[in-house]
């Protein structure tokens, strides 16, 4: 390291000024007078600063009397004594001599618990091993790995100056031969004690390997060559073993002391960190961050303790606090923001609980709890829907204290404006579905109708992959409001973009499951009629205008249709559909064919005589399907009439809930549970289709069974079977299963 520049002192300043004055006097006496005046040079010397750790502060120490130096050195730490020996040649010569052994012993006594000097080490070497972290091979600093068995500190076993070998591979032949000879002389000898072995962890795997010093192996071989008799060799081996065992015990003591010293140092540093942490906490409370600090959770405390300015083993001074104040304020500000948000959310939760209480009391006053629930109850707004209304939202989100908002304030709004609130909610929902319908009907005359939601072609389908979407359910207004997908179990934050996120947080914790309706009813949630083109063709085939005819008119339409595509394949039978069943038939059977607009001749109107017979059978079949706990089949949404449990997709599951939860022996559709989107099959698939069979099939057993169970009747205008009897029976079975599906 190059020497530092000498610092200027007050004496040097006077010397510089005196030198300048002498130079001026000399130049004025020897030079000719200048024609013009010369400006005098001014030298500015910086004032003296007392720098900590300044070099040269002990420059006069060698000039002190020897008795004073001895008194000082007797009180030094071994580390300081060795550092002093490295300053000048005079100190090195003095401290490295054997006459200074008493100074080193006195220095060792300054260290509590330090083991005695090992017999094979000198005092400076012992101090260098225990108190300095330089590599003994390459002088690399901050080396913490100590090879205690070798009494050396190396950066790694491959250090060029270490000269270590692995006994497994690198022992010389002379050493191996000596060990072989010793075993021949005495088989009880432990050859592992001849050398000092050090276990070293491998960098490439989790195992360890052994190294030893090359110098020790060379010393062993050199001493072995000088031995002549077998008795000398045995004595040498035993002495070597005893010395190695003794050295092992001593180095173990050194290692234990060093480990304890490191542990003490860690505890000391940790105590300083804890003291600094407590001081910072006190400063924060003094500056007004006490409430925010108390709000911090375990994660915040961990993050706070890991800050560089906090996790430091140094006392907190006024100057240090001024340096870290901005960082502390920045961290605590984030905590304060979360605390204020938490308090805001808790205020919202408390007020929503008041709203919940007022809502339940009002429903009780209306008699809702004294009667079973019906489909009409599914079309009413629930607690979450009321909470996002402006009248209630203003009270919930008011920035006033808790005492200014009471349950009576919410109850008065319910009592005074219940009908208006329900009507406003229905109008808002209707406006969203009306917008969806007009968008789906764009480009047609139906888009300009006064009430597009009343048209027969206006239906909706769920796009969220529920059972209703997979079965192609055609939902109508207003029954679509009862569809469970519009009231999800966990409300996403984008359901109402205009609602504050903290209010949503409170709603999710106060409102029950499915008590908040989606604000978004666009095509990505509820799609407009996916069978629009098919419906238009079928309605036209019934003699009605699809742009003007209403849903009620088509449901009351007596016209019945037969599929000409199916008639071409099986001319001896015809399946009779109402208009909605015809749409369902095309969707599930002929969906891979060309667009129905291009196949407008697909449907044929049935004569009124046969249509009347078909309508009578349809009514009887529909009545049979509506009886029993699983009347509407698997995969539909069912709700409980005795509680507000979320709807289930299976009638059997809901029937089990009614029996177990409400102790009803049997669950009856329409009494104990109900289909949430409608109460009749006609709402989603039309009337049950019936069959017209040729009289030539009167002897067919399967056809006779269908006629006897009310699923079809014989007619005279259909031709007989065109297939052989054996082939016909298999085709008849397939057709019957398709008809039942």
């Amino acid at each position: 390291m190059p020497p530092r520049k000498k610092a200027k002192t007050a004496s040097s300043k006077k010397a510089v000024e005196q030198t300048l004055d002498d130079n001026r006097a000399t130049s004025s006496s020897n030079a000719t007078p200048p024609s013009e005046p010369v400006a005098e040079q001014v030298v500015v010397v910086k004032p003296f600063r007392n720098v900590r750790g300044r070099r040269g502060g002990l420059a006069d120490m060698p000039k002190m009397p020897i008795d004073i130096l001895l008194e000082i050195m007797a009180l030094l730490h071994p580390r300081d004594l060795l550092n002093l020996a490295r300053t000048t040649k005079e100190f090195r010569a003095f401290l490295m001599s054997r006459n200074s052994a008493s100074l080193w012993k006195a220095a060792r006594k300054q260290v509590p618990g330090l083991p005695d000097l090992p017999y094979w080490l000198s005092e400076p070497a012992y101090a260098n091993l225990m108190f300095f972290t330089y590599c003994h091979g390459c002088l690399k600093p901050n080396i913490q790995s100590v090879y205690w068995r070798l009494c050396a500190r190396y950066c790694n076993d491959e250090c060029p100056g270490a000269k270590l070998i692995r006994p497994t591979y690198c022992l010389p032949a002379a050493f191996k031969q000596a060990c072989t000879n010793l075993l021949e002389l005495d088989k009880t000898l432990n050859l592992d004690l001849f050398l000092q072995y050090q276990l070293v962890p491998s960098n490439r795997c989790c195992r360890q390997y052994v190294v030893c010093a090359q110098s020790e192996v060379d010393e062993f071989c050199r001493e072995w060559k000088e031995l002549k008799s077998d008795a000398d060799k045995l004595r040498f081996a035993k002495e070597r073993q005893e010395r190695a065992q003794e050295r092992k015990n001593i180095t173990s003591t050194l290692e234990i002391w060093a480990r304890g010293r490191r542990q003490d140092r860690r505890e000391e540093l940790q105590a300083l960190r804890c003291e600094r942490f407590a001081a910072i906490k006190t400063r924060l409370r003094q500056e007004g961050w006490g409430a925010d600090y108390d709000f911090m959770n375990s994660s915040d405390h961990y993050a706070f303790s890991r800050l560089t300015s906090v996790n430091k083993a140094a006392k907190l001074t006024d100057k240090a606090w001024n340096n870290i104040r901005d960082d502390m304020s920045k961290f605590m500000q984030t905590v304060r923001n979360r605390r204020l948000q938490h308090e805001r959310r808790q205020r919202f939760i408390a007020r929503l609980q008041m709203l919940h209480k007022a809502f339940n009391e009002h429903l009780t006053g209306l008699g809702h709890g004294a009667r079973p629930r019906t489909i009409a109850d599914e079309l009413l707004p629930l607690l979450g829907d009321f909470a996002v209304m402006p009248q209630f939202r203003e009270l919930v989100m008011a920035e006033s204290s808790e005492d200014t908002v009471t349950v009576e304030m919410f109850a008065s709004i319910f009592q005074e404006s219940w009908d208006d609130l329900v009507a406003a909610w229905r109008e808002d929902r209707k406006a969203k579905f009306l917008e969806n319908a007009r968008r789906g009907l764009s480009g047609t005359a139906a888009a300009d109708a006064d009430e597009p939601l009343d048209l027969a072609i206006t239906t909706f389908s769920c796009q969220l992959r529920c059972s209703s979407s997979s079965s192609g359910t055609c939902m109508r207004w207003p029954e679509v409001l009862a569809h469970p997908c519009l009231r999800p179990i966990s409300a996403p934050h984008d359901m109402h973009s205009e609602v504050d996120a903290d209010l949503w947080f409170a709603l999710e914790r106060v409102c029950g499951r499915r008590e908040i309706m989606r604000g978004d009813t666009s095509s990505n949630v509820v799609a407009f009629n996916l069978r629009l083109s098919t419906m238009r063709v079928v309605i036209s085939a019934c003699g009605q205008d699809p742009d003007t005819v209403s849903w009620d008119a088509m449901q009351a339409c007596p016209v019945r249709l037969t599929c000409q595509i199916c008639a071409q394949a099986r001319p001896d039978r015809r399946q009779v559909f109402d208009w909605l069943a015809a749409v369902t038939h095309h969707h599930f059977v002929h969906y891979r064919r060309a667009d129905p607009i291009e196949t407008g001749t697909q449907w044929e109107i049935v004569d009124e005589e046969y249509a009347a017979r078909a309508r009578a059978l349809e009514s009887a079949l529909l009545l049979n399907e509506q009886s029993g706990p699983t009347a509407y089949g698997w995969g539909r949404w069912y709700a409980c009439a005795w509680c507000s449990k979320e709807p289930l997709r299976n009638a059997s599951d809901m029937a089990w809930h009614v029996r177990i939860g409400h102790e009803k022996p049997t669950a009856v559709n329409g009494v104990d549970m109900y289909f949430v989107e409608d109460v009749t099959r006609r709402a989603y698939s039309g009337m049950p289709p019936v069959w017209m069979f040729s009289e030539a099939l009167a002897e067919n057993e399967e056809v006779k069974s269908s006629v006897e169970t009310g699923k079809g009747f014989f007619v005279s205008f259909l031709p007989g079977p065109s297939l052989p009897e054996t082939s016909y029976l298999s085709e008849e079975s397939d057709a019957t299963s398709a008809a039942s599906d």
Side-chain angles (χ1 to χ4, degrees):
M1 179 184 297
R4 296 185 180 181
K5 295 181 179 180
K6 293 184 178 180
K8 295 181 179 180
T9 61
S11 59
S12 63
K13 177 181 177 182
K14 295 180 180 179
V16 171
E17 292 177 351
Q18 182 64 34
T19 303
L20 291 175
D21 294 339
D22 296 341
N23 291 339
R24 291 195 199 100
T26 304
S27 60
S28 61
S29 61
N30 297 334
T32 59
S35 58
E36 297 181 359
V38 179
E40 183 179 357
Q41 291 182 342
V42 179
V43 178
V44 180
V45 180
K46 295 183 179 180
F48 174 77
R49 288 192 309 122
N50 185 16
V51 181
R52 183 181 180 183
R54 187 182 187 87
R55 290 204 173 204
L58 300 177
D60 295 333
M61 190 174 180
K63 301 177 183 180
M64 293 182 180
I66 188 62
D67 54 344
I68 297 179
L69 286 177
L70 293 177
E71 290 294 334
I72 294 175
M73 292 179 183
L75 300 176
L76 293 181
H77 191 278
R79 178 179 57 251
D80 300 328
L81 206 59
L82 187 56
N83 281 329
L84 185 61
R86 291 170 178 173
T87 56
T88 64
K89 293 181 179 179
E90 292 78 7
F91 276 131
R92 178 177 179 82
F94 176 73
L95 293 174
M96 295 300 172
S97 65
R98 295 184 180 275
N99 296 329
S100 302
S102 60
L103 296 177
W104 290 99
K105 292 180 180 179
R108 283 193 283 111
K109 293 181 180 179
Q110 303 296 327
V111 183
L114 180 66
D116 294 334
L117 175 70
Y119 65 87
W120 66 91
L121 290 179
S122 64
E123 291 281 2
Y126 186 42
N128 187 45
L129 173 67
M130 303 302 291
F131 304 110
F132 288 86
T133 59
Y134 292 94
C135 175
H136 292 183
C138 62
L139 298 182
K140 185 181 296 184
N142 196 23
I143 302 301
Q144 303 299 329
S145 57
V146 182
Y147 292 56
W148 292 105
R149 296 294 179 268
L150 308 180
C151 289
R153 189 185 299 265
Y154 296 123
C155 51
N156 55 67
D157 62 298
E158 298 179 358
C159 179
K163 296 182 180 180
L164 302 178
I165 61 174
R166 298 188 184 183
T168 309
Y169 311 106
C170 304
L171 284 177
F175 183 85
K176 296 180 179 179
Q177 183 62 38
C179 293
T180 303
N181 294 339
L182 286 173
L183 286 178
E184 293 176 355
L185 296 174
D186 187 357
K187 294 183 180 181
T188 62
L189 291 175
N190 187 358
L191 301 181
D192 293 337
L193 296 178
F194 288 167
L195 299 176
Q196 296 295 326
Y197 298 107
Q198 176 69 41
L199 282 175
V200 180
S202 175
N203 295 329
R204 300 179 182 178
C205 61
C206 59
R207 298 180 180 178
Q208 294 179 326
Y209 56 90
V210 178
V211 296
C212 63
Q214 178 69 51
S215 59
E216 190 176 6
V217 176
D218 296 341
E219 179 188 359
F220 180 90
C221 295
R222 185 172 58 256
E223 294 180 0
W224 178 263
K225 288 182 180 180
E226 298 176 357
L227 301 175
K228 303 300 181 180
S229 64
D230 294 342
D232 294 338
K233 293 179 180 180
L234 287 175
R235 184 174 58 257
F236 168 76
K238 292 181 180 180
E239 292 177 355
R240 190 85 184 185
Q241 284 185 342
E242 294 175 357
R243 188 165 63 250
Q245 184 63 42
E246 181 183 5
R247 183 169 175 174
K248 181 179 179 181
N249 297 335
I250 295 175
T251 53
S252 299
T253 305
L254 297 180
E255 183 178 4
I256 294 173
W257 181 87
R259 191 183 302 119
R261 181 170 174 268
R262 288 195 301 269
Q263 180 62 28
D264 294 340
R265 181 58 178 170
R266 282 194 293 267
E267 293 176 356
E268 179 184 355
L269 295 178
Q270 184 62 26
L272 288 174
R273 294 189 185 97
C274 293
E275 181 181 354
R276 183 183 182 90
F277 187 88
I280 292 176
K281 182 171 66 174
T282 303
R283 298 267 187 166
L284 290 175
R285 292 188 181 277
Q286 292 174 355
E287 297 197 2
W289 299 102
D292 306 297
Y293 186 86
D294 295 336
F295 176 75
M296 290 168 56
N297 54 28
S298 58
S299 300
D300 296 329
H301 280 287
Y302 178 78
F304 182 74
S305 64
R306 302 306 297 174
L307 292 176
T308 305
S309 53
V310 177
N311 189 26
K312 183 182 294 186
K315 291 185 177 181
L316 184 68
T317 61
D318 293 339
K319 182 179 179 180
W321 171 249
N322 293 332
N323 293 334
I324 68 173
R325 176 182 291 159
D326 294 339
D327 295 338
M328 296 295 99
S329 299
K330 183 178 179 181
F331 180 87
M332 295 305 299
Q333 186 61 46
T334 60
V335 178
R336 172 170 292 180
N337 294 338
R338 289 195 292 105
R339 178 180 66 84
L340 295 177
Q341 183 187 46
H342 174 76
E343 293 176 354
R344 188 168 184 256
R345 289 177 173 180
Q346 293 302 315
R347 184 170 65 252
F348 290 170
I349 290 175
R351 293 176 180 176
L352 285 175
Q353 290 173 348
M354 298 179 189
L355 175 62
H356 194 185
K357 182 178 179 180
F359 177 70
N360 291 337
E361 291 177 354
H362 188 76
L363 290 181
T364 302
L366 295 177
H368 281 233
R371 59 172 177 80
R373 292 167 55 87
T374 62
I375 185 64
D377 296 320
E378 298 289 339
L379 307 181
L380 293 176
L382 299 180
L383 176 62
D385 303 319
F386 284 110
V388 297
M389 292 182 181
Q391 298 89 331
F392 298 102
R393 196 194 316 174
E394 292 178 359
L395 286 177
V396 173
M397 300 183 64
E399 297 295 337
S400 56
S401 61
E402 295 292 335
D403 298 335
T404 58
V405 180
T406 60
V407 179
E408 289 74 16
M409 299 175 68
F410 294 108
S412 62
I413 298 177
F414 281 125
Q415 293 174 2
E416 297 172 2
S417 309
W418 173 263
D419 295 336
D420 295 337
L421 293 173
V422 174
W425 180 80
R426 289 285 294 270
E427 288 298 325
D428 179 68
R429 298 293 96 189
K430 183 177 180 180
K432 294 183 180 296
F433 281 97
L434 186 60
E435 179 185 359
N436 195 349
R438 291 190 186 279
R439 185 168 53 250
L441 294 172
S442 60
T444 64
D448 300 328
D450 295 336
E451 292 292 341
L453 296 178
D454 294 338
L455 297 179
I457 58 176
T458 302
T459 62
F460 303 94
S461 299
C462 181
Q463 291 291 89
L464 300 181
R465 298 183 180 180
C466 66
S467 59
S468 298
S469 61
S470 61
S471 62
T473 300
C474 297
M475 296 182 289
R476 292 278 304 167
W477 170 265
E479 288 79 11
V480 66
L481 293 176
H483 185 59
C485 289
L486 294 181
R487 295 185 180 275
I489 296 177
S490 58
H493 293 303
D494 58 350
M495 285 178 51
H496 287 274
S497 57
E498 70 276 5
V499 178
D500 185 85
D502 293 337
L503 180 58
W504 271 123
F505 179 88
L507 283 172
E508 291 178 349
R509 280 151 181 77
V510 176
C511 297
R513 304 169 72 181
R514 302 188 186 277
E515 289 194 8
I516 309 173
M517 179 165 287
R518 290 181 180 271
D520 181 15
T521 54
S522 57
S523 57
N524 60 342
V525 178
V526 178
F528 186 69
N529 191 355
L530 300 178
R531 309 175 187 176
L532 179 60
S533 57
T534 305
M535 274 192 177
R536 297 183 70 90
V537 171
V538 172
I539 292 174
S540 298
C542 293
Q544 301 290 340
D545 183 4
D547 293 328
T548 59
V549 67
S550 66
W551 175 271
D552 294 335
M554 287 305 301
Q555 290 291 80
C557 180
V559 176
R560 293 298 182 265
L561 304 173
T562 59
C563 179
Q564 296 302 304
I565 299 176
C566 297
Q568 294 176 4
R570 303 301 297 272
D572 56 354
R573 65 191 64 196
R574 303 286 175 84
Q575 197 170 15
V576 182
F577 307 97
D578 71 341
W579 77 281
L580 193 54
V583 174
T584 305
H585 171 79
H586 179 86
H587 179 75
F588 286 103
V589 179
H590 304 301
Y591 65 95
R592 293 184 179 178
R593 297 184 63 87
D595 190 84
I597 296 178
E598 301 177 3
T599 58
T601 58
Q602 174 183 353
W603 305 103
E604 180 181 1
I605 297 178
V606 180
D607 293 342
E608 178 58 27
E609 176 187 356
Y610 304 117
R613 297 177 62 184
R615 289 194 295 270
L617 292 179
E618 290 171 356
S619 301
L621 291 175
L622 181 63
L623 183 62
N624 293 334
E625 287 185 2
Q626 290 180 348
S627 61
T630 58
Y632 302 140
W634 184 90
R636 307 301 178 186
W637 291 99
Y638 290 86
C640 178
W642 301 103
C643 67
S644 58
K645 177 180 175 58
E646 67 273 9
L648 301 177
R649 294 186 180 183
N650 194 329
S652 300
D653 294 340
M654 184 53 70
W656 181 87
H657 163 75
V658 171
R659 290 194 303 270
I660 301 301
H662 303 285
E663 298 181 354
K664 302 288 183 180
T666 57
V668 181
N669 275 323
V671 178
D672 301 308
M673 62 182 185
Y674 52 89
F675 181 43
V676 296
E677 283 136 353
D678 203 348
V679 293
T680 63
R681 170 178 175 164
R682 298 197 64 191
Y684 60 91
S685 61
M687 298 294 289
V690 297
W691 289 89
M692 295 189 303
F693 297 105
S694 172
E695 293 180 350
L697 298 176
E699 300 300 326
N700 186 281
E701 295 297 332
E702 295 181 359
V703 172
K704 289 171 60 177
S705 176
S706 297
V707 173
E708 291 174 357
T709 55
K711 297 180 180 179
F713 56 93
F714 292 108
V715 295
S716 59
F717 67 91
L718 292 178
S722 59
L723 298 175
E725 186 65 20
T726 55
S727 175
Y728 171 77
L729 290 175
S730 60
E731 292 291 336
E732 177 70 18
S733 177
D734 296 340
T736 303
S737 61
S740 62
D741 293 340

